Amino acid sequence: MEKNLEKLWQSVLGEMELQISRANFVTWLKNSRLTEEKDGTLFIVLPNNFAKEWVENKYHKNLLGIVRNFDDSVRKLEFVVSGQKLEILEKKAPVGTAVVFENKINFEFRVDPESNLNPRYNLNSFVVGPSNELAFGAASAVIQNVGVKYNPFFVYGGVGLGKTHLIQSIGNEIRAKYKGKVRPKYVPSEKFTSDVVWAIRNKRMDDIKRKYRDVDVLIIDDIQFIGGKEKTEEEFFHTFNALYENNKQIIISSDRPPQSIPTLEERLRSRFEGGLIADIVYPEYETRVAIIKSKLQENKKELGNEIIELIASKVRKNVREIEGVINKIIFYQDVRGSQINEKIVEDIIEKTTQNFSKRVSDSQIIKSVAEFYRVSTDDLVGKVRKKEIVEPRQVAMYLLRDILDMSYPYIGEKLGKDHTTAIHAIKKINIEINKNSSLFQKIITIKELIYKS
Ligand code: ADP
Ligand code: MG
């Protein structure tokens, strides 16, 4: 049972990660755990009172909705603070506290405290296809020539496409290959930021320097989040230089290329561009099939080819979503003992993918498009005929239709055009999106901006 709970929670978190902003996810949910299920109530452990209150107030409904998608026998969520004694556990195991119990559940993949790497990620389990082979090749080269050749290594791509998996794998492979003589350290950029803020407040900048400069490989995930935070960028710049000058390897991930991180300082941007830059794009059909098969194998499960093909053709947004669907299917089979058929799978896919569309307003959409393309909203909705406004405007129209299903005349009016222009623009993007993966990528990134706002 414990194994199932752990899986359930991982799947739920995977979906939450798609629904809320990355920063919020990391701050509030990343360290949460599921400890126990009793009479339809799930007990969720959070690291402190503050997090408990926050999650309870902000995400309770969201979480319950997702959990029930997996397992509708759950009726209630209870939030508890780590270390607090749980009555329910005491009854079961007199010596047990939540902490003891947690350890039992999470033995499988414990993050290594020194490197902060999660051993679950390795290159073996990374399925390679045309969408990621460049990044994969670069990663393998970095492992062979740590700090020498491809420095820094910068990988970018949309959410759930395998950036974290790839860069953590580099760290794990390096640890194994060089038997601990080359020391990697993995850090999400939000963590770096919060460390810097803490150090400034407590006048402990030396600690930061020691922590981040005394490594051989520094892996920074989601660098776009440090953009615009002056002190953090400053400190990162110095860390970067110190490591770089000593031939230490730097690995960076981001949801977009360096030149598209609007708030990133020029000097950092040019440092990044001095190394090797590789992108990861959307896996095409064959790769999706391969990923599904590999995930099934990891879980020692099998599914018929029709079902695998059905999933591959319908779940296209990202790998995390594919995993979400598979986890749910496995859940169905394991927990409910149900036979899986195409109808059930279609239901599961629908539920998984619809979670993504929350209510947003038209002005949110327009604002996010403007923000992404770095143009002003006035230009975007106005009558100006500038070349650099063409794509943003078409994308804005497309998204108004796609997300809000607005009428063409209304969309036209919103963006200072008539309805035929709107029809034309939306049609054009609809066609382009299937041919041009970088446009598809941009649109997904903008959608994320929209849902975050
Ligand atoms: P990102 O950091 O780009 O948002 P992740 O690395 O977190 O994405 O990947 C999301 C999930 O999809 C992870 O569980 C990861 O293991 C899986 N995944 C992504 N790409 C691949 C791949 N090529 N092969 C196998 N699993 C993958
Ligand atoms: Mg990631």
Side-chain angles (χ1 to χ4, degrees):
M1 192 59 202
E2 279 123 46
K3 186 79 184 8
N4 276 336
L5 281 182
E6 184 189 345
K7 245 213 182 111
L8 169 64
W9 198 236
Q10 271 177 12
S11 314
V12 171
L13 289 183
E15 267 182 42
M16 270 310 268
E17 207 172 347
L18 294 171
Q19 289 191 21
I20 65 177
S21 84
R22 169 92 195 144
N24 276 330
F25 179 79
V26 171
T27 314
W28 304 115
L29 288 168
K30 205 153 184 201
N31 295 319
S32 63
R33 306 212 176 118
L34 193 55
T35 59
E36 169 79 68
E37 170 169 22
K38 178 120 195 276
D39 303 330
T41 301
L42 286 185
F43 290 83
I44 295 152
V45 177
L46 292 153
N48 53 53
N49 250 320
F50 194 55
K52 169 183 175 280
E53 303 240 311
W54 189 274
V55 171
E56 210 163 19
N57 289 326
K58 294 250 176 191
Y59 302 126
H60 192 159
K61 251 174 88 187
N62 248 358
L63 286 169
L64 185 61
I66 298 174
V67 168
R68 286 182 48 87
N69 263 344
F70 281 101
D71 183 351
D72 57 15
S73 70
V74 174
R75 289 190 313 274
K76 222 170 116 200
L77 303 181
E78 289 263 346
F79 298 90
V80 294
V81 175
S82 160
Q84 255 178 15
K85 283 193 177 168
L86 284 177
E87 258 183 47
I88 178 168
L89 293 174
E90 291 203 319
K91 278 182 215 143
K92 263 180 110 172
V95 289
T97 63
V99 181
V100 175
F101 204 78
E102 277 167 59
N103 287 343
K104 210 162 91 199
I105 292 173
N106 275 296
F107 67 96
E108 211 183 357
F109 290 122
R110 201 171 300 157
V111 170
D112 171 61
E114 175 109 9
S115 65
N116 202 26
L117 287 164
N118 186 331
R120 108 162 233 255
Y121 296 110
N122 58 61
L123 287 186
N124 269 338
S125 61
F126 191 81
V127 176
V128 187
S131 53
N132 58 24
E133 64 188 345
L134 182 69
F136 180 84
S140 314
V142 166
I143 295 164
Q144 297 304 324
N145 311 277
V146 181
V148 217
K149 240 180 170 172
Y150 303 113
N151 208 9
F153 169 41
F154 189 104
V155 59
Y156 71 91
V159 73
L161 294 181
K163 302 179 299 292
T164 298
H165 187 141
L166 188 69
I167 62 177
Q168 289 231 17
S169 299
I170 302 178
N172 283 324
E173 303 279 345
I174 286 176
R175 256 159 62 97
K177 180 172 162 70
Y178 302 96
K179 310 231 170 358
K181 292 210 181 74
V182 180
R183 295 157 308 150
K185 188 172 200 71
Y186 168 85
V187 58
S189 75
E190 299 96 329
K191 173 80 174 101
F192 187 83
T193 301
S194 68
D195 278 359
V196 171
V197 170
W198 177 88
I200 293 169
R201 202 174 289 149
N202 296 287
K203 304 198 167 50
R204 301 275 287 274
M205 281 317 279
D206 286 348
D207 288 12
I208 291 286
K209 292 188 177 29
R210 213 170 305 122
K211 181 167 174 186
Y212 288 107
R213 296 185 194 180
D214 185 31
V215 297
D216 302 308
V217 181
L218 184 63
I219 306 171
I220 300 253
D221 206 354
D222 288 317
I223 194 87
Q224 72 272 12
F225 293 123
I226 75 159
K229 303 193 182 85
E230 221 174 276
K231 280 281 184 239
T232 313
E233 279 199 57
E234 178 77 21
E235 189 51 37
F236 181 71
F237 182 73
H238 293 306
T239 305
F240 184 101
N241 285 341
L243 291 170
Y244 186 80
E245 275 153 24
N246 287 305
N247 289 328
K248 307 293 189 190
Q249 179 73 47
I250 298 144
I251 298 165
I252 298 158
S253 87
S254 163
D255 67 349
R256 55 194 102 170
Q259 72 271 19
S260 306
I261 306 176
T263 45
L264 196 68
E265 266 185 73
E266 199 43 49
R267 56 180 184 173
L268 263 180
R269 194 172 304 161
S270 68
R271 289 285 140 131
F272 294 166
E273 284 166 359
L276 178 72
I277 300 182
D279 65 346
I280 300 187
V281 297
Y282 287 84
E284 51 325 299
Y285 179 79
E286 283 76 18
T287 311
R288 295 202 293 274
V289 170
I291 288 173
I292 294 166
K293 288 185 172 161
S294 127
K295 300 287 164 196
L296 288 170
Q297 211 176 7
E298 261 171 46
N299 286 289
K300 302 193 176 61
K301 297 284 167 197
E302 279 179 25
L303 285 176
N305 272 335
E306 337 71 76
I307 304 262
I308 293 177
E309 281 159 23
L310 178 67
I311 304 170
S313 62
K314 292 224 163 156
V315 188
R316 305 169 40 193
K317 200 165 283 146
N318 61 47
V319 182
R320 195 173 292 136
E321 215 171 73
I322 295 178
E323 282 184 342
V325 168
I326 293 179
N327 285 339
K328 270 187 208 159
I329 293 177
I330 292 175
F331 235 77
Y332 253 83
Q333 287 181 325
D334 284 5
V335 177
R336 301 198 174 165
S338 316
Q339 269 298 330
I340 284 294
N341 58 35
E342 290 188 27
K343 172 80 184 60
I344 295 177
V345 172
E346 267 171 12
D347 273 1
I348 289 177
I349 292 173
E350 190 162 316
K351 272 190 192 153
T352 311
T353 37
Q354 86 187 9
N355 272 336
F356 213 59
S357 40
K358 274 185 294 190
R359 283 217 64 74
V360 290
S361 69
D362 48 2
S363 54
Q364 261 169 312
I365 294 178
I366 290 169
K367 198 176 131 262
S368 302
V369 172
E371 190 184 324
F372 177 83
Y373 284 103
R374 287 198 268 170
V375 299
S376 78
T377 19
D378 286 347
D379 277 356
L380 196 61
V381 301
K383 295 208 182 300
V384 277
R385 290 164 167 272
K386 284 192 209 155
K387 210 167 135 257
E388 60 273 23
I389 298 291
V390 175
E391 183 177 306
R393 195 178 273 149
Q394 289 179 339
V395 167
M397 288 178 167
Y398 167 84
L399 288 171
L400 288 173
R401 182 82 184 171
D402 183 51
I403 298 175
L404 297 181
D405 206 19
M406 284 179 154
S407 74
Y408 294 118
Y410 192 89
I411 293 174
E413 191 186 309
K414 272 273 148 206
L415 289 139
K417 297 278 160 187
D418 59 28
H419 76 282
T420 47
T421 313
I423 293 175
H424 171 76
I426 292 162
K427 203 166 144 199
K428 179 161 175 257
I429 298 289
N430 257 320
I431 295 171
E432 276 290 300
I433 220 175
N434 282 316
K435 295 195 294 202
N436 176 343
S437 68
S438 102
L439 180 67
F440 190 36
Q441 179 86 60
K442 281 184 201 166
I443 285 173
I444 295 291
T445 309
I446 296 167
K447 280 192 179 174
E448 274 168 45
L449 279 177
I450 293 169
Y451 291 118
K452 271 176 200 172
S453 62

